[in-house]
Amino acid sequence: VIIIESLQKNKHHRLAFRCGNEALDRFLHEHAHQAVAKGLSKTYVAIDEVDETNIVGYYTVTTCEVEAGELPLSIVRMLKLPHHKLPGSLVARLAVCESVKGMGVGSLMLLDAMARCARVADEIGGVAIVVDALEEDVVPFYERFGFMRFEPASLRLFIPMASVREILDIVEGQRVAG
Ligand SMILES: CC(C)(COP(=O)(O)OP(=O)(O)OC[C@H]1O[C@@H](n2cnc3c(N)ncnc32)[C@H](O)[C@@H]1OP(=O)(O)O)[C@@H](O)C(=O)NCCC(=O)NCCS
């Protein structure tokens, strides 16, 4: 069973984490705690209940601004958004340990991040979640969940918060149905 909880300095062994991307590893090893301490972002880790110190994945979230002009006009019109800077959430990093790739941990963490961002939006507002796919290869992973590119070749993707809520309702319905 995978548990997702906030990164804790005295509990989680972050130096052993390897996801295949050096920058993502380094952030967890060296910067994640400082970023939390400074209020820049928050990092959540996926751990296995068998060994709760062992990080099998992590994601980092923070707030962001979305320029209405950068969103597709069709979305701006459909959601009747004003044409200025809009509040949003940013999933700044998401990575899974090499030994558990392809086992669903990435999907579990992305859904957890989406639910967290929706709760933040419920409290203080927010029109979309933004993610930065580090490589073209990873874009389909996000597209499966309804994320769309800002522009045709862009590695920055977004999903309207209204769509996030619909997806979370579907997932919850599937969970209840068993
Ligand atoms: C991208 C990443 C987070 C996916 O995590 P994961 O746990 O392996 O993904 P899941 O097991 O939940 O996969 C869910 C589905 O997405 C697909 N998928 C996973 N990674 C993919 C990728 N890079 N490209 C396309 N599809 C991908 C899987 O095949 C799976 O499909 P299936 O259910 O039909 O088999 C992980 O591969 C990773 O950490 N990569 C290195 C770091 C990185 O690039 N992070 C993203 C940028 S922030």
Side-chain angles (χ1 to χ4, degrees), residues 19-21 24 91-97 100-109 132-135 137-142 144-145:
C19 73
N21 177 304
L24 290 172
V91 179
R93 296 174 190 82
L94 188 145
V96 167
C97 159
V100 303
K101 264 186 198 165
M103 293 169 69
V105 176
S107 300
L108 208 63
M109 290 199 301
D132 286 312
L134 296 185
E135 298 165 9
D137 282 359
V138 187
V139 170
F141 170 74
Y142 290 110
R144 290 167 60 101
F145 289 87

Side-chain angles (χ1 to χ4, degrees), residues 31-79:
H31 303 296
H33 279 302
Q34 280 302 313
V36 172
K38 291 175 186 171
L40 301 174
S41 61
K42 184 93 182 171
T43 291
Y44 293 88
V45 293
I47 52 172
D48 194 318
E49 66 169 358
V50 176
D51 176 3
E52 293 197 1
T53 65
N54 184 37
I55 298 173
V56 294
Y58 84 89
Y59 71 82
T60 297
V61 274
T62 186
T63 57
C64 69
E65 275 184 344
V66 182
E67 280 288 351
E70 291 174 7
L71 292 170
L73 196 55
S74 56
I75 298 275
V76 174
R77 284 189 178 145
M78 188 177 74
L79 299 175

